[in-house]
Amino acid sequence: MIYLDNSATTKPCPQAVEAVADAMTRRWGNPSALYSFGLDTAHTLRVARCQVAAALGGEPDRIFFTSGGTEADNWAIFGTVKRMGKRGKHIITTSIEHHAILNCMKELESQGFDVTYLAPDAQGRISLEALKDALRKDTILVSIMMVNNEVGSVMPISAMAKLTHKVCPDAIFHTDAVQGFLKVPFAAKSLGADLISVSSHKIHGPKGVGALYISPRLKSFPPLLLGGGQENGLRSGTEGTPGIFGFAAACGAVNATFREDTAREKELLENLVHSLSALDGVEINGCHDAPHILSISIPGVPTQNSLNLLQDAGICVSAGSACAKGHRSHVLSAMGLSPQRIDSSFRISLCRDTTAEEVETLVNVIQKEILPRAR
């Protein structure tokens, strides 16, 4: 199998698998317990928090574990609204966010909030100027993704956060960094975002765990879950230590070779773009700024047909976002692509384990098996 759907999920690395197994066989004590077995697990939990913080470039005590990116996004959005109270009803996001953000916005609109959706350009980028024009005195939240999960466009998050805080000092800036974490360089301490969402299973860790970074600028933030006071009282419930320890191990493993891996991925992606651009009938969608995401279309061949042909050749890709099955891509629609191009699109996403041979095989299958059906 040639796996090229890494934006959907990644294969857990050996270090993560070992950490999960260790947590379930040796370090399975409750970290809230006061006897040595529980205290040992609590110590390992602190170490794990520091590992995630190191990879994120943030303070360990500002890392709060969640069940994944979707929960972190929901907590960021609804927590901000609760914290800001009646200071304003205006929120800014983009029309190309993940549905973990967009569906939160729909809910808030039903409650009377005014949401501005920034539109991308033809390459899938959101401009700083568009944000500047949208900011208002009553803006309480700006939520803009770091890397688009379908076309790989990278947003100027640091500049956007700085602008937001300059124009609206009380507003909170959130970024969904699920596709940017350990893919594009940034440090939470210097990024300027108040809230940052990340996920484990996008970086070779286990599913079902992620984190929300809450900046020290927010001295208080509404809790997500009430109960026994875990996660400094902000997300109660016995910590899911197998997932957390696996997440931390993945952070350590991936962060250790981050620069080398992303440079190699970027080279593979650029070679792939060059090879596909030379094929008559292949259209490249968007800017593919990030090192791992590429959207292409083969007009005349429906997406599902291409997926089936690639699957027959042992190659896994996806029809855009894995979290929006059966729907025409809202990202490509917002970019102004034609229905024919959208309905023939699919996403290729690489990882640190992807090889040049796998990319070459993909190009050969597209050329020999898919393109002839477009003519």
Side-chain angles (χ1 to χ4, degrees):
M1 180 181 70
I2 296 175
Y3 185 77
L4 299 174
D5 193 20
N6 292 280
S7 288
T9 197
T10 53
K11 180 181 179 180
C13 63
Q15 295 91 333
V17 174
E18 181 179 354
V20 171
D22 184 67
M24 297 185 74
T25 56
R26 292 202 312 123
R27 303 182 192 278
W28 48 264
N30 189 326
S32 295
L34 298 180
Y35 40 78
S36 59
F37 185 38
L39 293 174
D40 178 61
T41 306
H43 172 73
T44 306
L45 179 60
R46 286 193 293 274
V47 172
R49 200 180 306 276
C50 289
Q51 286 180 291
V52 175
L56 191 59
E59 306 88 342
D61 65 344
R62 306 311 296 174
I63 303 295
F64 299 92
F65 292 114
T66 67
S67 67
T70 293
E71 182 183 301
D73 283 344
N74 274 251
W75 186 8
I77 301 303
F78 293 118
T80 293
V81 168
K82 185 174 182 180
R83 183 180 191 273
M84 297 302 285
K86 299 180 180 179
R87 296 185 193 180
K89 288 280 189 177
H90 183 233
I91 297 171
I92 299 172
T93 188
T94 81
S95 58
I96 59 171
E97 297 294 311
H98 190 280
H99 281 95
I101 296 295
L102 293 178
N103 287 338
C104 288
M105 297 301 169
K106 288 181 181 179
E107 172 61 26
L108 290 175
E109 284 181 307
S110 74
Q111 297 177 20
F113 285 84
D114 181 12
V115 181
T116 297
Y117 296 89
L118 304 181
D121 63 17
Q123 294 299 308
R125 298 188 181 104
I126 304 294
S127 71
L128 191 64
E129 291 71 24
L131 173 60
K132 183 178 180 180
D133 291 341
L135 287 166
R136 305 185 333 206
K137 290 183 178 179
D138 61 337
T139 301
I140 60 170
L141 169 66
V142 176
S143 181
I144 299 177
M145 66 188 347
M146 182 175 288
V147 175
N148 182 263
N149 57 309
E150 291 195 37
V151 297
S153 48
V154 178
M155 313 310 166
I157 295 301
S158 182
M160 287 175 159
K162 183 177 181 180
L163 175 65
T164 298
H165 293 144
K166 179 180 179 181
V167 177
C168 305
D170 292 331
I172 291 176
F173 190 97
H174 165 251
T175 186
D176 177 342
V178 166
Q179 292 293 345
F181 183 41
L182 292 178
K183 288 296 183 179
V184 298
F186 74 91
K189 287 182 182 179
S190 58
L191 185 64
D194 299 302
L195 300 166
I196 305 173
S197 303
V198 295
S199 179
S200 164
H201 75 108
K202 309 292 188 179
I203 62 152
H204 302 279
K207 299 174 183 64
V209 61
L212 180 67
Y213 171 82
I214 303 177
S215 167
R217 178 176 179 263
L218 303 182
K219 292 183 172 61
S220 64
F221 199 71
L224 176 67
L225 297 173
L226 301 176
Q230 291 84 354
E231 294 300 291
N232 201 28
L234 295 186
R235 188 186 184 275
S236 291
T238 302
E239 298 90 347
T241 50
I244 291 171
F245 295 172
F247 182 20
C251 283
V254 175
N255 194 38
T257 57
F258 165 64
R259 295 189 181 279
E260 299 91 332
D261 290 341
T262 52
R264 190 180 62 81
E265 283 176 57
K266 189 63 176 177
E267 183 178 4
L268 283 176
L269 192 74
E270 293 302 331
N271 290 339
L272 176 59
V273 170
H274 178 76
S275 297
L276 292 176
S277 297
L279 300 179
D280 185 28
V282 176
E283 302 283 350
I284 305 297
N285 302 322
C287 54
H288 53 86
D289 296 324
H292 62 303
I293 300 174
L294 178 65
S295 171
I296 71 170
S297 294
I298 304 177
V301 182
T303 297
Q304 192 59 55
N305 290 12
S306 292
L307 297 186
N308 291 342
L309 290 165
L310 288 168
Q311 180 175 273
D312 290 343
I315 301 173
C316 300
V317 298
S318 68
S321 173
C323 304
K325 296 179 180 178
H327 300 282
R328 178 175 285 169
S329 168
H330 68 286
V331 174
L332 300 184
S333 296
M335 289 165 54
L337 272 62
S338 67
Q340 182 187 31
R341 192 159 161 181
I342 296 172
D343 294 342
S344 63
S345 68
F346 57 91
R347 181 185 66 184
I348 302 157
S349 46
L350 316 181
C351 75
R352 68 204 291 258
D353 300 325
T354 304
T355 66
E357 291 75 19
E358 290 175 329
V359 170
E360 182 179 355
T361 299
L362 170 69
V363 174
N364 289 336
V365 173
I366 289 174
Q367 182 177 18
K368 295 176 181 178
E369 301 295 334
I370 300 179
L371 282 175
R373 289 164 168 79
R375 300 189 179 107

